[in-house]
Amino acid sequence: MAKKSSVLRNEKRKKMAAKQFALRNELRAKAIDMKISDEDRYNARMKLQSLPRNGAKERVRNRCQLSGRSRGVYSKFMVSRIVFRAMAHQGLLPGVTKSSW
């Protein structure tokens, strides 16, 4: 089980990233648009840099929905490899079978 503070910090980052998504895209587009003046592009870059780092979607970490584990998370099921294996053995994941050869 992951630390509760780590999970809550990640949830805070998700909310902030969703809130700032449109603004960041707009500033990013202005910063690379060669049709506007150099000063406007520079100002857009400065505004983008002044935004909090935790508002970037790259800072959000995929975590297991059940255990909070941050590594080895299958994105299709949003559970870690350990929880995935336990759930597959119990038959809780539809369409997942144990392979044998």
Side-chain angles (χ1 to χ4, degrees), residues 81-99:
R81 60 185 175 81
I82 299 164
V83 174
F84 178 84
R85 186 165 190 248
M87 290 176 73
H89 282 304
Q90 294 171 1
L92 298 175
L93 299 174
V96 176
T97 57
K98 189 170 186 286
S99 65

Side-chain angles (χ1 to χ4, degrees), residues 8 13 18 21-22 24 28 36 41-42 46 54 56 70-72 81 83 85 87-88 93 96-98:
L8 291 176
R13 285 178 179 164
F21 183 75
R24 282 182 176 275
R28 205 174 289 122
I36 61 176
R41 286 188 318 172
Y42 178 77
M46 290 300 115
N54 282 339
S70 62
R71 296 179 180 225
R81 60 185 175 81
V83 174
R85 186 165 190 248
M87 290 176 73
L93 299 174
V96 176
T97 57
K98 189 170 186 286

